């Protein structure tokens, strides 16, 4: 019997996930989409039909759900007989959706770390604050829970594991770089939920170096990268989810994350941050209204889902992994280049949503066919990377590799 | 019998006005201060006592008042037997306070044009939208209503009139320049209510040139000034209240306003404006909360009243008036230089509040002694300027004049 999938969330990433489930519904069962705003799910269903994305005849349906409401989520999982839940909703709902999966026996996949709305940038490792505390509970329930299975975190974790498995005997550093060289034509916009986007950067920048957590300020440590296809790009050392799991498996290595930022982003971020407008803590207006400034900023900014039609250019995300192979200093760069326009033409979303939305569906397919159905809680680097990367190549996110600066052919067959 | 004064508002300007009334309470009667937040009025009363500002023994008392509530304002004016109301509250309350004055027979003084919270930068001349429509009503009630009697508008209007009366036979241009060369030590702060401050600059920039209203965008027209004491300073052509009355009296002249802005202000304004965060129109958050973004920005910014202790440096505000005298091209610069630290030491406020708060008290004193008690609605340029400027000199805001670049002695005796 094929496994039904429930997608939670209705933003740009959910839209990509729905299209990709539809394109692979010969290997999955029914597709259900649920979010707080039912109409957004309806719109996604309509877009799947519009593109004729369903590979074989089947069910795709929209639902209204407050995913913070565990009993309601349990009831929906049971009602639609979902065997896998792809959680691409707000990062605030992760733990309640996981609870519903544990209760119903459904497999759980997410793409970003759980967050408490009132806390920013908690103690590292972040996975230790919520997710990993529930390992026993997940193992006891015998469900598969794959954490952080988007692109970054997610695919970049698999890249690190591929470097370990195939290219290096010893790893001394993992530098993850994420550059969006696309343009959306707006004065300013974030590529995904502005609230989650800004929350990533308002706290301390954690990196794992010299066997310990190091702290920096945002935009304190710049580094220029010369990347395939997109060329020379400015980046800054940034805090990011995957550092908080890779640092456990590769504790001997330095693990850092570099995000590309244009001047406009730095300008906007600097002003909003310094003025306190990125705060997650409520303020009170002169009229006595209590409100979280960041939620007002979000309300004023363009809806990231609406950027797609005008988005042009490419993204490049990858891991530069350094270490030794056969006793010699070796560096491997494992990466993907994605195209905004191509993503829009295929699934109606921009490239950032595309790179984040395809991988959790690949993970779902690997759970459905048993390859990744490990019946416990894992991060992506804990799983065999080749089946995942091989499948992603077929689904639109091919893996490229250079060793010591030279492109090499990649064999991802198991 | 001495005239009791009611001050409406409890910000930095109200604080200055209260101190100046106290310092001159031999010529005024009781001093009453009212605002929405009674505690702020209490704090002003306490600061007056702390500085020992009352010249002679007398009453100074705090009241809670919603000045949008006309019957409540009427009741308070009657209760405290106020003969003059100095309205330095929010620009949104002007018309309701004026109504209360008309009903009670009290004289009315304000320092900024009336604003509708939901409208920015209405059709010029701005005074024509609210104030001047009520001229008949004011004349019929036989009360004195002096509009825009702060520094700018206010003192700069008197400077223009002084140029007309004393220095020029014919006026071809009036350029008002307002430069704050002080520093407050904050990353960013506005010098008065951020809501009113930003509202000044989010609309079209109106100037009166070539006998007609001209429009520009904010920060479109720069001009560097070389000013006495503060030196070379960058300014931008800006919309401002006084253009909307001076252009009526001096319709043959060009009337422009130039505000000094540092790089930080331009940076902050550009980001907030482009993101829609300066909007006076409500937005709805993802959680369904409706809120005006500008009010959230205000809630996040430093309280201007709290800048005073750290404020250092000087302000220079003046009028460059060009025209002909005895048939020869002549230019007159009439100006004042004020000092932040000196203002704080004297009245506990910074220089911007000081320059705005002293003039309405001077106007009140001139109404009280009959000099300006004209029993009708006027702008400051409609009144004899010398008694006003003479009094201001004695109250801490001396007038300086240069003619064709040469300093000249100023005789303000009537």
């Amino acid at each position: 019997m094929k496994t039904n999938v429930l997608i939670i969330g209705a933003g740009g990433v959910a839209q990509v996930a729905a299209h990709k489930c539809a394109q692979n519904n010969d290997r999955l069962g029914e597709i259900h989409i649920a979010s707080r705003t039912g109409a957004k799910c309806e719109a996604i269903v309509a877009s799947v039909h519009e593109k004729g994305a369903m590979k074989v005849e089947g069910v795709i349906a929209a639902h209204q759900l407050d995913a913070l409401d565990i009993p309601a989520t349990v009831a929906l999982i049971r009602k639609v007989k979902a065997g896998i839940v792809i959680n691409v909703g707000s990062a605030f709902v992760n733990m309640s959706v996981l609870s519903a999966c544990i209760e119903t026996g459904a497999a759980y996949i997410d793409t970003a770390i759980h967050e408490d709305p009132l806390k920013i940038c908690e103690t590292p490792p972040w996975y230790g604050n919520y997710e990993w505390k529930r390992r026993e509970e997940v193992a006891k329930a015998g469900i598969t829970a794959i954490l952080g299975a988007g692109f970054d975190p997610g695919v970049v974790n698999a890249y690190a594991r591929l470097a370990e498995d195939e290219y290096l005997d010893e790893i001394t550093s993992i530098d993850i770089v994420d550059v969006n060289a696309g343009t959306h034509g707006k004065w300013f916009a974030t590529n995904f939920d502005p609230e989650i986007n800004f929350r990533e950067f308002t706290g301390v920048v954690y990196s794992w170096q010299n066997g310990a957590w190091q702290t920096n300020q945002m935009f304190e440590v710049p580094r220029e990268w010369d990347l395939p296809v997109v060329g020379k790009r400015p980046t800054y050392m940034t805090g990011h989810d995957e550092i908080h799991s890779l640092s456990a498996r590769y504790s001997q290595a330095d693990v850092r994350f570099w995000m590309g930022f244009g001047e406009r982003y730095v300008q906007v971020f600097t002003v909003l941050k310094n003025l306190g407008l990125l705060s997650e803590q409520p303020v009170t207006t002169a009229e006595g209204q209590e409100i979280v400034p960041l939620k007002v900023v979000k309300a004023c900014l363009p809806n990231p889902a609406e950027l797609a039609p005008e988005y042009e250019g490419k993204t490049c995300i990858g891991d530069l992994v350094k270490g030794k192979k056969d006793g010699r200093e070796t560096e491997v760069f494992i990466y993907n280049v994605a195209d905004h326009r191509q993503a829009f033409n295929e699934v109606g979303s921009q490239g950032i949503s595309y790179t984040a939305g395809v991988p959790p569906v690949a993970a779902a397919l690997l759970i459905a066919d048993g390859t990744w159905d490990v019946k416990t809680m894992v991060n992506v680097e804990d799983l065999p990377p080749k089946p995942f990367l091989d499948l992603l190549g077929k689904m639109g996110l091919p893996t490229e590799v250079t060793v010591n600066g030279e492109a090499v052919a990649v064999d991802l067959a198991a």
Side-chain angles (χ1 to χ4, degrees), chain A:
Chain A
M1 202 184 111
K2 292 195 275 183
T3 312
N4 291 353
V5 172
L6 171 61
I7 298 168
I8 290 180
V13 178
Q15 158 120 351
V16 175
H19 276 259
K20 284 293 171 184
C21 285
Q23 291 174 15
N24 292 280
N25 77 331
D26 54 331
R27 297 153 71 186
L28 295 170
E30 296 176 7
I31 305 160
H32 296 274
I33 311 166
S35 86
R36 196 166 46 188
T37 313
K40 286 188 178 178
C41 302
E42 301 282 2
I44 291 177
V45 170
S47 115
V48 166
H49 288 310
E50 201 179 301
K51 293 266 185 198
M54 299 287 273
K55 184 166 184 186
V56 298
E57 208 169 301
V59 170
I60 179 163
H63 306 267
Q64 196 280 329
L65 174 73
D66 174 2
L68 287 171
D69 180 342
I70 299 173
T73 309
V74 165
L76 182 61
I77 292 173
R78 288 196 172 130
K79 183 180 154 199
V80 305
K81 298 189 175 60
I84 301 174
V85 175
I86 298 178
N87 172 23
V88 286
S90 149
F92 307 139
V93 307
N94 290 11
M95 287 304 103
S96 49
V97 173
L98 180 61
S99 295
C101 288
I102 290 169
E103 191 167 335
T104 56
Y108 173 87
I109 302 169
D110 69 29
T111 63
I113 228 153
H114 180 78
E115 294 192 43
D116 178 327
L118 291 180
K119 293 183 187 168
I120 289 243
C121 200
E122 300 188 60
T123 318
W126 292 342
Y127 284 108
N129 296 317
Y130 302 98
E131 288 82 353
W132 290 348
K133 285 184 177 160
R134 306 186 69 179
R135 268 179 180 153
E136 290 295 308
E137 199 188 341
V138 166
K140 207 167 144 192
I143 67 158
T144 297
I146 305 182
L147 304 176
F151 206 102
D152 44 337
V155 178
V156 298
N157 304 49
Y159 287 166
R161 177 66 185 269
L162 187 70
E164 173 194 343
D165 290 0
E166 303 288 322
Y167 298 102
L168 296 167
D169 303 324
E170 188 188 313
I171 292 178
T172 53
S173 68
I174 303 171
D175 286 286
I176 300 155
V177 57
D178 178 340
V179 165
N180 172 19
T183 51
H184 47 56
K186 303 274 182 196
W187 192 82
F188 179 82
T190 56
N191 294 304
F192 56 97
D193 184 346
E195 190 175 3
I196 301 301
N197 177 279
F198 285 125
R199 285 172 62 100
E200 277 191 15
F201 311 128
T202 47
V204 160
V205 170
Y206 283 114
S207 60
W208 179 262
Q209 297 183 89
N210 305 317
W213 290 106
Q214 311 294 338
T215 59
N216 288 93
Q217 293 307 303
M218 191 62 204
F219 299 121
E220 183 187 341
V221 189
R223 176 167 170 180
E224 193 184 69
W225 288 77
D226 192 356
L227 295 171
V229 184
V230 302
K232 285 194 180 173
R233 295 283 164 175
T235 73
Y236 292 90
M237 197 165 80
T238 310
H240 226 243
D241 297 7
E242 51 271 45
I243 304 168
H244 297 259
S245 66
L246 292 171
S247 58
R249 187 179 182 92
Y250 305 102
S251 59
Q252 81 294 347
D254 292 340
V255 184
R256 292 168 291 242
F257 185 92
W258 306 89
M259 178 78 86
F261 290 96
E263 271 179 46
R264 179 64 50 79
Y265 192 100
V266 179
Q267 175 192 15
V268 168
F269 181 87
T270 303
V271 168
L272 297 183
K273 173 89 183 334
N274 277 299
L275 262 44
L277 283 160
L278 299 184
S279 176
E280 77 290 0
Q281 301 294 335
V283 296
T284 305
T285 68
E287 293 73 20
Q289 219 179 331
E290 201 174 84
I291 189 131
V292 172
L294 182 51
K295 292 186 183 292
V296 181
V297 170
K298 172 176 171 172
C300 287
L301 290 181
N303 175 355
E306 287 166 12
L307 302 175
E310 304 302 324
Y311 229 126
E312 287 185 347
K314 294 179 194 295
T315 64
C316 177
I317 316 176
D319 294 20
L320 179 65
V321 188
K322 295 188 182 181
K324 286 193 176 168
K325 177 70 176 175
D326 301 329
R328 291 160 66 180
E329 301 285 343
T330 301
E331 62 175 66
V332 192
F333 187 56
I334 311 179
Y335 67 99
N336 166 262
V337 171
D339 183 89
H340 288 289
R341 170 77 44 203
Q342 207 171 305
F344 181 66
N345 291 341
E346 184 193 332
V347 300
S349 293
Q350 31 91 340
I352 310 291
S353 301
Y354 191 84
T355 56
V358 174
V361 178
L365 289 165
L366 294 176
I367 293 175
D369 73 11
T371 314
W372 270 16
D373 193 15
V374 291
K375 309 289 185 197
T376 186
M377 177 184 280
V378 288
N379 290 83
V380 171
E381 65 271 29
D382 300 322
L383 296 164
K386 289 169 103 182
F388 184 51
L389 299 177
D390 186 43
L391 186 51
L392 283 171
K394 292 167 184 153
M395 291 173 76
L397 294 174
T399 299
E400 312 284 345
V401 180
T402 67
V403 177
N404 294 327
E406 298 294 323
V408 297
V410 195
D411 177 14
L412 294 170

